């Protein structure tokens, strides 16, 4: 891996791709190439010109790490070409998250897994990332028994077109939505949150129940979380643990839109006992779903890969 790795952003014109480019600029990456669909080819994104994300372009072998922010079907088609060309692919879609042998990584939770890749690493769901970031220190201290979570997800999680619809929507038309695939019992967003959390936390039998809704907020997801632990964990101690945890900021009243949007930390607050179970704890968290919930986490995964390659050189 060279000292200035070449980074390719696939899906650069989308909501996550745009934030990815901003974060790469902020972190000092200048050896960047941007890819999107044929209709965006030639478009300027700041200092970069969009290239078409074709199998041949991705397989050329002239990019060290690709950050994919495209749909599941596109990822299944394009990621293998990038890997055949010798690149490492960090994929944001659900295409590879639950595949055996493919690391599903939140660096603050299971960063060591990023070093076990064979070309593909998966970037988790935008609610799973902040949830596991908050659960990790609590599990290490007291052991998780079960988790219940209700998510309140902004429209940016559904992409740039959904954001534009909200901008053009009258406030009187605002409503909660459940706009994911439904199997008759669960939305796929709910099953993703459960299965991905179990994989990242390496607790395959951990009972997790989720209810997910979309709210008329432009950017910023929020989650109400109820946990039960093996050992007693007073709210005051939980607050101390979370305040010391990486990428977590403790606040009394986390807010997704005004407080969390535009920052990199996961905001956690409303820490209190849940009296319905013996060792119960309730909390509320908020996170910018386009930053730590997507683009930033992918960049952090890529940085783990780059640092390992440099150390091995």
């Amino acid at each position: 891996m060279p000292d200035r790795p070449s980074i390719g952003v696939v899906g650069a014109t989308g909501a996550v791709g745009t934030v990815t480019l901003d974060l790469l600029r902020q972190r000092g990456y200048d050896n960047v190439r941007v890819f999107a669909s044929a209709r965006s080819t030639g478009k300027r994104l700041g200092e970069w010109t969009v290239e078409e994300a074709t199998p041949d372009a991705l397989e050329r072998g002239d990019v060290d790490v690709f950050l994919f922010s495209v749909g599941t079907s596109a990822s299944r088609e394009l990621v293998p070409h990038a890997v055949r060309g010798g690149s490492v692919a960090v994929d944001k879609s659900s295409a590879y998250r639950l595949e055996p042998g493919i690391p599903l990584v939140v660096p603050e939770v299971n960063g060591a897994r990023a070093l076990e890749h064979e070309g593909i690493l998966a970037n988790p769901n935008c609610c799973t990332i902040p949830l596991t970031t908050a659960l990790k220190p609590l599990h290490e201290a007291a052991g998780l028994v079960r988790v219940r979570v209700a998510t309140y997800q902004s429209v940016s999680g559904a992409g740039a077109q959904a954001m534009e619809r909200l901008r053009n929507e009258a406030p009187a038309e605002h409503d909660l939505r459940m706009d994911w695939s439904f199997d008759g019992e669960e939305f796929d967003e709910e099953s993703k949150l459960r299965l991905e959390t179990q994989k990242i936390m390496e607790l395959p039998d951990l009972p997790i129940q989720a209810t997910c809704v979309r709210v008329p907020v432009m950017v910023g997801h929020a989650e109400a979380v109820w946990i039960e632990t093996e050992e007693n964990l007073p709210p005051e101690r939980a607050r101390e643990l979370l305040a010391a945890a990486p990428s977590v900021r403790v606040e009394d009243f986390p807010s997704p839109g005004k407080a969390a949007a535009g920052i990199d930390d996961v905001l956690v607050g409303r820490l209190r006992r849940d009296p319905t179970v013996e060792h119960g704890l309730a909390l509320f968290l908020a996170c910018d779903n386009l930053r730590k919930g997507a683009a930033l986490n992918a960049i952090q995964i890529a940085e783990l890969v780059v640092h390992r390659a440099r150390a091995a050189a």
Side-chain angles (χ1 to χ4, degrees):
M1 189 75 66
D3 290 336
R4 290 176 61 251
S6 174
I7 308 294
V9 179
V10 184
T13 58
V16 174
T18 301
V19 173
T20 301
L21 294 180
D22 288 341
L23 288 169
L24 288 171
R25 288 189 191 96
Q26 293 172 22
R27 296 167 89 87
Y29 292 96
D30 55 6
N31 191 9
V32 176
R33 292 169 60 188
V34 299
F35 299 83
S37 63
R39 66 178 178 272
S40 297
T41 301
K43 181 179 180 180
R44 293 289 295 178
L45 297 177
E47 61 271 44
W48 299 304
T49 301
V50 176
E51 305 173 49
E52 185 178 357
T54 64
D56 287 343
L58 303 184
E59 201 168 328
R60 227 170 262 147
D62 50 3
V63 171
D64 297 307
V65 181
F66 278 104
L67 306 177
F68 281 84
S69 296
V70 295
T72 299
S73 60
S75 283
R76 286 179 176 146
E77 176 190 357
L78 294 174
V79 165
H81 290 282
V83 175
R84 276 197 288 272
S87 304
V88 174
V90 181
D91 182 57
K92 175 57 187 166
S93 80
S94 60
Y96 300 101
R97 290 176 187 160
L98 300 178
E99 288 293 317
I102 293 182
L104 180 66
V105 179
V106 178
E108 297 86 348
V109 180
N110 64 338
R113 293 298 182 197
L115 310 183
E116 301 172 359
H117 74 88
E118 295 184 3
I120 303 174
L121 299 105
N123 195 15
N125 178 276
C126 47
C127 282
T128 306
I129 291 170
L131 177 63
T132 55
T133 301
L135 290 180
K136 173 71 169 180
L138 306 180
H139 173 62
E140 288 183 335
L144 290 175
V145 174
R146 61 180 50 86
V147 177
R148 299 179 180 89
V149 57
T151 74
Y152 312 93
Q153 299 178 220
S154 65
V155 298
S156 57
Q161 291 183 349
M163 296 171 72
E164 189 60 26
R165 283 195 300 272
L166 181 62
R167 290 189 186 98
N168 296 323
E169 187 177 87
E173 298 175 3
H174 292 345
D175 200 358
L176 300 181
R177 304 177 191 270
M178 298 184 183
D179 51 7
W180 301 279
S181 297
F182 186 58
D183 66 6
E185 181 173 346
E186 274 191 322
F187 290 101
D188 66 348
E189 188 78 353
E190 295 162 348
S191 61
K192 287 177 190 175
L193 187 54
R194 181 182 70 256
L195 296 171
E196 291 178 25
T197 298
Q198 290 169 334
K199 181 174 178 177
I200 293 166
M201 299 292 295
E202 300 186 11
L203 298 170
D205 298 320
L206 177 67
I208 302 174
Q209 174 66 31
T211 298
C212 298
V213 300
R214 186 87 63 195
V215 296
V217 171
M218 193 67 72
V219 176
H221 288 358
E223 305 179 38
V225 185
W226 297 264
I227 68 171
E228 183 179 352
T229 56
E230 295 174 357
E231 301 175 12
N232 183 43
L233 183 61
E236 298 78 14
R237 178 56 180 154
R239 187 182 183 95
E240 292 174 355
L241 293 166
L242 289 163
S247 299
V248 172
R249 184 190 305 178
V250 175
E251 293 196 352
D252 290 336
F253 305 107
S255 167
K258 291 184 178 179
I263 69 170
D264 295 339
D265 290 331
V266 178
L267 303 182
V268 183
R270 296 296 322 279
L271 286 153
R272 60 206 188 278
R273 287 193 180 277
D274 175 4
T276 65
V277 294
E278 182 180 3
H279 295 152
L281 190 70
L283 58 91
F284 193 82
L285 65 83
C287 176
D288 187 319
N289 55 292
L290 300 180
R291 292 175 75 91
K292 182 55 182 166
L296 176 59
N297 200 76
I299 293 171
Q300 291 174 313
I301 294 171
E303 288 174 342
L304 291 175
V305 173
V306 169
H307 292 160
R308 182 189 73 162
R310 285 175 177 165

